[in-house]
Amino acid sequence: MKKFLFFSLFLIISIETIFAQNKQDYIWLSGYDYQYTYKATLGNKMDFNSGGKIDSVGLGDVIGRENTLICDKNGKLLCYFGGCSIVDSTNHIMENGDSINFGSSWIRFCQNGYRNYPGPQNSIFLPDPKK
C-alpha cells in the first residue's frame, strides 16, 4: 500500500510539473538584415507555440549578436532588446525604452548606424517571481 501511495504521489507531482511549465522562452528572434534606405529591420521568428515554425518578420529594432527577449507564462512575446532599445510585441519602442545605458558606447553603436551592440548576450530579462 505504501508503494502504491508513493507512486501515486510521485505521478501526480510529475504530471503537475509537466503541465505547469512556464513558456517565457517559447519565441526566439534573430535578425538578418537592416535596410538603411527603408529604415526597415527584418528577421526570423521561431515560435515554439506552433511547433517551432520559423517565419520572416519585420522587427522594431535591429537584432544581432546582442539579443534578449521575454514572453509571458503562456508564450506570448512581451518585449525584446537588441542592445539599443526595448521594443514591445507590436514592434514599437516602449516608453522610456530608447537610449538604454546612454553613453559613449550607445553613441558609437546605436546612433552612428550600427543599431546593435557588438557583444553577444550582454543582457537578460528576468521575470518578476511574484507574477
Side-chain angles (χ1 to χ4, degrees), residues 13-26:
I13 291 172
S14 298
I15 291 173
E16 179 65 28
T17 303
I18 290 170
F19 289 107
Q21 293 299 312
N22 199 325
K23 297 181 178 183
Q24 290 177 324
D25 61 350
Y26 261 45

Side-chain angles (χ1 to χ4, degrees), residues 47-94:
D47 189 346
F48 291 98
N49 293 304
S50 59
K53 181 180 175 187
I54 300 174
D55 291 318
S56 292
V57 294
L59 300 171
D61 201 2
V62 176
I63 295 287
R65 291 188 293 171
E66 170 59 39
N67 176 357
T68 188
L69 61 89
I70 191 165
C71 300
D72 65 12
K73 65 182 180 178
N74 298 314
K76 181 183 175 214
L77 180 65
L78 294 174
C79 59
Y80 57 94
F81 180 63
C84 294
S85 58
I86 300 175
V87 181
D88 65 16
S89 62
T90 62
N91 297 317
H92 294 94
I93 295 175
M94 296 177 72

Side-chain angles (χ1 to χ4, degrees), residues 7-42:
F7 179 75
S8 298
L9 182 62
F10 177 76
L11 186 63
I12 290 170
I13 291 172
S14 298
I15 291 173
E16 179 65 28
T17 303
I18 290 170
F19 289 107
Q21 293 299 312
N22 199 325
K23 297 181 178 183
Q24 290 177 324
D25 61 350
Y26 261 45
I27 294 179
W28 294 2
L29 296 176
S30 65
Y32 63 82
D33 196 11
Y34 180 66
Q35 311 263 333
Y36 288 100
T37 53
Y38 301 109
K39 299 293 183 197
T41 305
L42 307 173

